[in-house]
Amino acid sequence: MLRCFAFIAALMLASFTAFQACADRRVALVIGNSEYREIPALKNPDKDAEDVSNTFRLAGFDVFVAKDLTRIQFEKQFRNYLAAADGADLAIVYYSGHGFQIGGENFLIPVDASLKNAADIEVQAIKLDDVLQQLRTKSKIQVIILDACRNNPFPRKDYWLRDQLIVAGNTGLAQVKSSLNTLIAFATEPGAVAYDGNGDLSPFSSAFSRRALAPNQEIRSVMAAVRRDVVQATAGKQVPWENSSLIDEVVLMRRANRPALPPVLEKVVPSGVGPVSLDLPEPVDVDGGAVTVSIDRQPSLGHLILDGKPVAAGEPIAGKDLPRLRMDVPKGVGAQEEVDMLAYSTRDNWGGESQGILVFRVKNGEGAEGKQVIASLESEQKQQAVERGIHIAGAAEAIENREVHVPVGVGPVPLQLDFPTADPAVTLKLAGYPATGTLSLPDRTLSPDSSLMADEVDHLRYEPQVGAVQPLIVGFEIRADNTSSKPATMKLSPSVDPCDREAGEPLDLQGVVPGLLPNEISSNAVDVCRAAVKAYPDVPRFHYQLGRALLAVGKVDEAKKAIQDAADKGHVRALFEMGYIAASGIGAAVDPKQANGFYAKASDKGDPYGMTAWGRALFNGLGVERDTRKGLDLLLKAAAMGHTYSMNELASIFTEGRGDVPADYDRAVAFLKAGVERQDMYSMNLLGRSYLSGRGVEKNPKQAQALFQKAMDLGQPYAPGSLGRMYRDGVGVTQNFDEATRLFELASARGDYSGAYDRAAIEMQKGDKADQALVVRYLAFSIGLDLRNELPSARTTLAQFSAKPKTAALKQLRSELKSKIPAGGSVDDQLVKTARAVWEQDNPRRDLF
């Protein structure tokens, strides 16, 4: 009979609609800029950011929160956020601070912006459209929320945008066209001004934090409620506005989980002894809300009682009271053992519902046999209480003072706590959520209010936030029904894989570290990256970094395979690298068309290196039909992401005045200074030249010398030549031909074709005393290193020398080679090929810079 009831109970449970859940990846970046340096501070954004970030964390987002960001700090934070947003279901950016429009383009203003010069907007402010485009390449759904529609506080009103000087708008932000599955919300309508309000929070942020926590509300409904609140709070002066192209529903505060209950329970109940505890476990809402219970099926053999009062079918009971529910079976029932069933439903505040069933056997509790039954039950209850106490203690011991090292950037990592019990009455409440990163189970992301059942703990996972390396504390409150709880804490220690430390690349939007230049990669990188690929074969970043490490030690074929594997697995920077290999002729013939194809793909996916290379090709018509406007736009977008190579290319364009873009030395210097601020050695060299020429800045040879020296110390290939010319010509320093000669030779060794030519020229100045074979040698290096034929006079000069010095130089160069190369062609061609081969042999890691 008992088996029959158990079977019926199982059928009843199976008939209920199954709830499907998954742990979606949702990330939010919250910025509050209050403490502006050049303009008056704002009183609300700092507190707005704190309040809104707490809201998103309660909703289960991985939250990046930042306050008072400078331009460079924004770039770093945004790159970390983009790495976390890669492949996310929902990516949100919330900004509170100064923002205004110029020519229909919206800009967010970092706290260090001065915007005094026409070129400053491009190097000091953040273009909203650039932020949105990056999010589109990373996530399925994008939401941008802006409490930034304020007056333009800067005295200057005209700024450069692309190839035009544009006058800034006085008020508000411009309307933004959103692409598919995007929502952009403004604190007020386009062109209008948002208010700070009278409290600690702005009216908009206050309303958003309050309304966003409404469970299971679609975001457009949330924003409608926010609009009503703000209109009321500002007496109609401020009307929030949004532009949506969402085709998927976006729910910020999900509360769709059912209260957690154990499977079908069984119980022995004696008759004729008064109310007996049913020992039903308290239902737990894993989202942290209250639970109510109602009886669906009353037992037919007895009466339910709670705190001395009868409980009727359908009568609501607080979930916390369920363990005190008792049953009174009258005398005479169960003389021959009978089976009965109790069915009940649990509901949470969010509409989640689940069902529980208790199948029990009624036995006669009278007489000697009844006393034995009661004694056995009392003993069983005492034993159960002891066991649960042991379970709680063991659970706390399993967690307390544990330290778990969790790698960054490999997805959610199982914590493997080896929890000692699966008792359905044991639950864990999150008492201290980690300050960064996300805790999750395979079916849901946990929030600070979440609870876990005992059988879920071994599936607990943690994903560290990109850029976070400090240890984090997680606190739990462990309890079983109405027994006393026991606290336990553990430490989570995010760690960066050695492959990331040894071979991560700068500005890699799927990377997790600031990165290293090729010349900074150690020989140890290959081994640690091979280990990373073996440990995490599905993480494309490690395949790419293995390719970088292999290139660094000259294993070109293996490197190409690793980089191709990374590209096939979705690593965007690998696409650029394949283009660079094709453009540089590494291990194969130079193929500009193939290179541009890879550059274009990387650019379309938001990679700043790809944008720079493809933008340069388009602007200059290198292997593709020229499109100066699109090329300039891509270079500006890459520069906005902090890519100094694009800054240097733009400086060159503005210095020379190329295409349809007029020369503007001030604009060129603005980009060079931005590069120097980011410690770019190329920018240092170029800005040093500006200080020598006085273009865009006041002449200052001492400043030029300092910049050249610093760039040279960092390994920059052209800085030795720049400094060498100062010593050769006696500009700003005492003329010193020996020092100039040393510096030109260093430049040549680093791959500077101009430095090699200058070394040849300084030797030719000796007239009859010149070592002609040495001159020929450096002319050959100059031509061999000049891949773009930017110094045609070197080949013309080489042709003027007789066969004798050429033969001597060629013999010397060949003696330096460890392997022979084909000897075909003219003597000049053989000299150039051999010089190039000698340089590549001495620099097996290709052009390191």
Side-chain angles (χ1 to χ4, degrees):
M1 186 66 175
L2 181 61
R3 289 183 179 177
C4 179
F5 264 93
F7 177 70
I8 293 171
L11 284 178
M12 289 177 65
L13 286 177
S15 70
F16 295 124
T17 302
F19 171 73
Q20 295 182 345
C22 60
D24 289 347
R25 293 190 59 238
R26 308 195 302 167
V27 294
L29 171 62
V30 179
I31 300 171
N33 280 352
S34 292
E35 297 299 325
Y36 285 88
R37 301 173 185 177
E38 302 288 335
I39 53 178
L42 297 172
K43 70 174 186 175
N44 295 132
D46 181 78
K47 294 183 177 64
D48 288 343
E50 185 175 340
D51 193 60
V52 171
S53 63
N54 288 336
T55 297
F56 283 127
R57 186 161 290 279
L58 284 170
F61 282 75
D62 182 11
V63 183
F64 290 72
V65 58
K67 299 177 183 179
D68 297 329
L69 291 178
T70 65
R71 171 59 192 260
I72 293 178
Q73 288 171 339
F74 174 86
E75 292 168 7
K76 180 180 178 181
Q77 281 280 2
F78 192 54
R79 282 195 296 271
N80 288 339
Y81 168 69
L82 287 176
D86 191 36
D89 297 277
L90 172 61
I92 294 181
V93 172
Y94 193 107
Y95 175 82
S96 181
H98 271 298
F100 56 85
Q101 61 171 297
I102 302 175
E105 297 269 16
N106 294 317
F107 289 87
L108 311 180
I109 311 301
V111 296
D112 62 338
S114 61
L115 302 185
K116 295 177 181 178
N117 301 311
D120 286 349
I121 197 74
E122 294 173 318
V123 296
Q124 294 182 12
I126 311 298
K127 189 186 295 186
L128 178 62
D129 190 56
D130 289 344
V131 172
L132 181 56
Q133 285 191 29
Q134 283 296 321
L135 290 187
R136 288 170 183 160
T137 66
K138 293 290 185 179
S139 56
K140 179 181 177 183
I141 303 171
Q142 306 84 43
V143 172
I144 295 182
I145 304 173
L146 300 168
D147 191 1
C149 312
R150 294 179 168 86
N151 283 320
N152 177 4
F154 296 94
R156 187 180 186 95
K157 299 302 179 185
D158 59 331
Y159 299 98
W160 278 108
L161 284 184
R162 298 184 183 89
D163 54 354
Q164 298 181 54
L165 200 61
I166 305 292
V167 176
N170 288 324
T171 59
L173 296 175
Q175 184 173 346
V176 179
K177 292 182 180 179
S178 60
S179 62
L180 194 63
N181 242 6
T182 298
L183 182 143
I184 304 170
F186 296 84
T188 191
E189 58 193 316
V193 176
Y195 295 88
D196 287 330
N198 298 320
D200 289 337
L201 303 177
S202 74
F204 180 77
S205 291
S206 175
F208 178 81
S209 291
R210 182 171 61 254
R211 294 296 185 176
L213 291 175
N216 300 327
Q217 290 293 303
E218 210 278 333
I219 193 168
R220 283 162 286 195
S221 297
V222 169
M223 298 313 299
V226 170
R227 184 159 39 249
R228 288 193 295 271
D229 289 352
V230 173
V231 168
Q232 182 178 5
T234 63
K237 296 178 182 178
Q238 180 175 334
V239 182
W241 175 90
E242 65 268 357
N243 182 27
S244 171
S245 61
L246 294 176
I247 59 174
D248 293 316
E249 285 198 343
V250 175
V251 176
L252 299 178
M253 182 62 91
R254 292 177 175 170
R255 286 296 181 260
N257 288 304
R258 300 179 298 176
L261 289 174
V264 178
L265 297 172
E266 297 179 12
K267 176 74 177 177
V268 173
V269 179
S271 63
V273 297
V276 176
S277 176
L278 295 179
D279 293 324
L280 288 171
E282 178 184 341
V284 176
D285 180 9
V286 296
D287 288 324
V291 177
T292 58
V293 179
S294 62
I295 305 302
D296 296 330
R297 183 189 187 280
Q298 286 272 14
S300 59
L301 299 179
H303 308 285
L304 297 177
I305 296 174
L306 178 62
D307 297 335
K309 298 179 181 180
V311 178
E315 180 181 344
I317 304 171
K320 62 183 179 61
D321 295 333
L322 191 61
R324 301 203 311 276
L325 189 66
R326 302 163 74 86
M327 181 172 172
D328 186 7
V329 180
K331 289 182 181 182
V333 178
Q336 300 294 323
E337 182 178 307
E338 298 184 64
V339 178
D340 202 352
M341 184 174 72
L342 164 67
Y344 58 98
S345 296
T346 62
R347 295 176 179 83
D348 61 22
N349 294 341
W350 336 114
E353 182 174 337
S354 57
Q355 287 71 35
I357 291 176
L358 172 64
V359 178
F360 51 88
R361 293 176 292 171
V362 176
K363 292 186 177 183
N364 186 3
E366 300 177 78
E369 185 177 345
K371 289 180 180 179
Q372 290 180 356
V373 170
I374 294 171
S376 175
L377 290 175
E378 289 176 346
S379 175
E380 184 179 314
Q381 287 177 333
K382 290 179 181 179
Q383 180 62 28
Q384 187 179 61
V386 170
E387 288 178 356
R388 284 183 174 164
I390 294 172
H391 289 167
I392 292 175
E397 185 178 346
I399 293 174
E400 185 66 29
N401 297 324
R402 284 280 297 273
E403 181 175 3
V404 181
H405 293 273
V406 188
V408 177
V410 299
V413 178
L415 298 184
Q416 299 179 334
L417 297 178
D418 296 325
F419 205 62
T421 179
D423 187 338
V426 175
T427 60
L428 286 80
K429 168 78 174 174
L430 277 170
Y433 200 87
T436 59
T438 53
L439 289 168
S440 67
L441 293 168
D443 68 334
R444 67 184 188 274
T445 299
L446 304 182
S447 73
D449 289 333
S450 293
S451 294
L452 297 86
M453 305 301 291
D455 61 356
E456 294 180 311
V457 177
D458 280 341
H459 304 289
L460 187 61
R461 311 177 303 179
Y462 175 69
E463 183 169 6
Q465 191 172 96
V466 175
V469 294
Q470 297 299 320
L472 304 154
I473 301 299
V474 183
F476 296 95
E477 180 184 334
I478 307 170
R479 63 189 183 91
D481 292 343
N482 292 328
T483 60
S484 60
S485 63
K486 192 172 183 65
T489 59
M490 62 180 295
K491 182 188 292 185
L492 300 175
S493 294
S495 60
V496 174
D497 191 277
C499 180
D500 290 314
R501 290 198 302 269
E502 298 285 348
E505 187 165 30
L507 302 190
D508 184 350
L509 301 188
Q510 292 163 297
V512 299
V513 293
L516 302 172
L517 295 172
N519 58 302
E520 297 172 319
I521 297 175
S522 73
S523 58
N524 183 52
V526 171
D527 291 337
V528 296
C529 286
R530 286 195 197 280
V533 168
K534 183 177 181 180
Y536 307 102
D538 295 327
V539 177
R541 179 180 79 254
F542 292 134
H543 291 265
Y544 174 63
Q545 289 170 181
L546 173 60
R548 293 192 82 213
L550 289 165
L551 276 179
V553 296
K555 296 183 178 180
V556 174
D557 291 338
E558 287 185 70
K560 285 183 176 181
K561 183 180 184 306
I563 293 168
Q564 181 68 63
D565 288 344
D568 292 342
K569 292 178 181 295
H571 197 73
V572 178
R573 180 58 56 78
L575 290 171
F576 163 81
E577 193 70 18
M578 291 169 69
Y580 182 83
I581 289 172
S584 304
I586 298 172
V590 173
D591 190 337
K593 184 176 179 180
Q594 184 184 50
N596 283 338
F598 285 123
Y599 291 156
K601 289 179 181 178
S603 176
D604 289 344
K605 292 181 180 295
D607 179 62
Y609 275 60
M611 287 180 181
T612 299
W614 183 225
R616 182 190 293 121
L618 287 168
F619 189 90
N620 297 299
L622 303 174
V624 67
E625 184 177 351
R626 191 170 189 176
D627 187 338
T628 55
R629 183 170 179 81
K630 183 177 180 181
L632 182 64
D633 192 55
L634 287 172
L635 288 168
L636 288 168
K637 288 181 184 299
M641 298 177 70
H643 192 27
T644 54
Y645 292 12
S646 60
M647 295 176 186
N648 296 332
E649 183 70 20
L650 289 165
S652 176
I653 290 170
F654 299 139
T655 297
E656 300 167 12
R658 282 192 257 147
D660 300 326
V661 181
D664 188 322
Y665 297 146
D666 291 340
R667 201 175 180 191
V669 166
F671 278 101
L672 292 178
K673 287 183 175 179
V676 171
E677 286 176 359
R678 290 156 181 81
Q679 300 302 305
D680 181 74
M681 55 191 177
Y682 285 94
S683 301
M684 294 173 189
N685 183 58
L686 293 171
L687 184 59
R689 293 180 182 178
S690 295
Y691 277 112
L692 279 182
S693 66
R695 293 187 299 189
V697 290
E698 187 176 346
K699 276 190 177 184
N700 190 333
K702 291 298 181 185
Q703 184 67 21
Q705 182 186 9
L707 286 166
F708 292 149
Q709 185 66 54
K710 186 172 182 180
M712 186 174 74
D713 292 344
L714 290 172
Q716 208 270 355
Y718 307 118
S722 298
L723 193 56
R725 293 177 195 103
M726 291 185 72
Y727 281 102
R728 180 194 64 191
D729 302 334
V731 177
V733 295
T734 302
Q735 192 174 49
N736 186 329
F737 287 104
D738 290 340
E739 181 64 5
T741 297
R742 182 188 73 82
L743 290 167
F744 289 145
E745 289 179 356
L746 177 59
S748 179
R750 290 184 177 182
D752 177 10
Y753 61 90
S754 294
Y757 185 84
D758 286 335
R759 175 63 185 94
I762 207 170
E763 185 67 25
M764 285 189 290
Q765 289 179 7
K766 297 178 182 178
D768 294 340
K769 297 181 179 180
D771 185 337
Q772 292 193 8
L774 186 68
V775 174
V776 167
R777 175 188 179 89
Y778 278 101
L779 287 172
F781 273 121
S782 178
I783 299 165
L785 295 171
D786 185 11
L787 299 180
R788 296 182 183 177
N789 195 30
E790 296 182 356
L791 198 62
S793 58
R795 188 173 287 274
T796 302
T797 304
L798 178 63
Q800 296 173 358
F801 282 82
S802 65
K804 183 176 180 181
K806 291 180 180 179
T807 302
L810 183 59
K811 182 179 179 180
Q812 178 61 39
L813 288 168
R814 284 176 173 167
S815 71
E816 297 172 23
L817 280 177
K818 296 178 181 178
S819 58
K820 293 183 179 181
I821 61 172
S826 66
V827 175
D828 286 11
D829 288 341
Q830 291 181 54
L831 275 167
V832 172
K833 289 178 184 178
T834 308
R836 175 73 190 184
V838 168
W839 186 85
E840 289 179 345
Q841 174 182 276
D842 293 339
N843 297 272
R845 294 164 62 167
R846 65 195 168 111
D847 181 356
L848 297 179
F849 309 98

